[in-house]
Amino acid sequence: MNLNGKVALVTGSSQGIGQAVVLRLANAGAKVVINYRSHPEGAEDTLAKVEAIGGNCFMAQCPTAQQGYTVKADLGNVDEIRQLIAESIQHFGKLDILVNNAGIEKHAAFWEVTEADYDAVMNVNLKGVFFATQVFVQHLLTTQRSGKIINISSVHEELPFPNFTAYCASKGGMKMLTRNLAIELAPLGITINNVAPGAIETPINTKLLNNPEKLGALLNNIPLGRLGQPNDVAALVTFLASDDADYITGTTVFVDGGLLWNYQEQ
Ligand code: BGC
């Protein structure tokens, strides 16, 4: 993939899938804005890894100036989103790629979900994506350029996940946001797609990873027989961010080892 000359913002990139996406995009030559909310040390770690990529960029055409930049912002707060995007543009001069990766989930039986937890999940996972995308599109309109939006969704934009109803609602909403915006943004030369991971080995799954019984049951449900790695997701995001994906919009690609459509009778 060749992303030389492109600038990408990856929300929630101090760890997990977001960090892997940043590294992959940087490896393809893009300049990257690393966003974090509560893990500055994770963002610094991502930045150090970007800097270490050094001479390995696509066909050795690495950006000569600084390639990574960290910005603190809570994606659940629209004012902070506006500041994040403004600061990114101010720092690198423009943005070409937006990866809406930041996401949270809260475990609770439906009848015990608090309003605060519902709001926290919906504000980051759906409202934040809506407004980050809006501000990004306004920037592309003002500068009369095309661009690419990639949302990190989940198998749970389709698949029920008991005790995570707000999370599922946010990802189901993300599915329709992407379908709708694909139509509305196409005349502007802007594409938008969802990448939908299954069970990936990241901090969002810490509890599950530490529970051998639950982990074993989950692995039995994954036809490819393993958890996904952040890089499995990042590879696809990098493709969707490249010119090779110019004709793809409004769709969801699952990266789930076959989990979503697995049905077997024992
Ligand atoms: C969730 C994980 C879950 C996985 C597979 C992801 O969207 O964040 O908690 O393990 O889906 O169910």
Side-chain angles (χ1 to χ4, degrees):
M1 291 305 130
N2 181 357
L3 296 177
N4 286 317
K6 305 286 187 195
V7 183
L9 164 60
V10 183
T11 66
S13 41
S14 59
Q15 59 185 12
I17 291 172
Q19 184 179 74
V21 168
V22 159
L23 298 180
R24 222 46 207 228
L25 295 177
N27 208 53
K31 293 185 179 181
V32 280
V33 179
I34 300 154
N35 156 252
Y36 67 98
R37 179 183 59 173
S38 43
H39 294 115
E41 65 293 338
E44 285 309 317
D45 178 51
T46 310
L47 181 62
K49 286 176 173 149
V50 166
E51 282 165 1
I53 289 171
N56 294 327
C57 303
F58 182 79
M59 298 171 102
Q61 292 176 311
C62 297
T64 41
Q66 186 200 33
Q67 200 183 344
Y69 182 63
T70 63
V71 183
K72 177 175 167 41
D74 177 354
L75 269 290
N77 178 314
V78 176
D79 286 340
E80 292 190 30
I81 290 172
R82 291 192 213 288
Q83 274 171 17
L84 163 66
I85 295 186
E87 194 177 333
S88 305
I89 294 166
Q90 194 184 20
H91 186 81
F92 282 127
K94 62 163 185 168
L95 280 176
D96 304 284
I97 299 159
L98 171 65
V99 182
N100 287 309
N101 167 75
I104 57 173
E105 64 186 34
K106 307 263 184 192
H107 178 280
F110 170 68
W111 48 92
E112 287 173 356
V113 174
T114 62
E115 188 178 350
D117 277 358
Y118 174 91
D119 284 345
V121 170
M122 295 304 265
N123 284 349
V124 174
N125 295 14
L126 193 54
K127 187 177 177 186
V129 171
F130 188 104
F131 285 101
T133 302
Q134 185 188 65
V135 181
F136 175 65
V137 167
Q138 287 166 348
H139 164 62
L140 294 178
L141 270 172
T142 314
T143 53
Q144 295 192 307
R145 289 175 313 112
S146 58
K148 296 221 164 10
I149 301 155
I150 298 119
N151 296 322
I152 306 301
S153 178
S154 165
V155 284
H156 301 299
E157 68 164 52
E158 291 290 348
L159 189 67
F161 195 14
N163 303 308
F164 290 90
T165 298
Y167 182 76
C168 286
S170 72
K171 297 301 184 179
M174 184 184 249
K175 177 175 78 176
M176 284 312 296
L177 177 138
T178 291
R179 289 187 186 176
N180 226 63
L181 291 187
I183 316 296
E184 204 168 334
L185 301 181
L188 308 176
I190 302 169
T191 65
I192 177 164
N193 292 288
N194 283 8
V195 169
I200 311 296
E201 213 173 311
T202 69
I204 209 171
N205 283 318
T206 307
K207 272 195 195 147
L208 174 83
L209 296 171
N210 292 326
N211 182 329
E213 205 180 314
K214 280 196 176 158
L215 184 61
L218 173 63
L219 286 172
N220 278 337
N221 268 333
I222 303 175
L224 285 179
R226 67 167 175 91
L227 292 178
Q229 293 301 316
N231 244 318
D232 292 319
V233 181
L236 176 62
V237 174
T238 308
F239 167 69
L240 289 173
S242 77
D243 293 349
D244 288 343
D246 277 352
Y247 200 59
I248 304 174
T249 196
T251 202
T252 294
V253 185
F254 293 90
V255 185
D256 68 347
L259 171 68
L260 175 60
W261 300 119
N262 182 20
Y263 173 77
Q264 295 180 48
E265 296 201 8
Q266 302 306 330

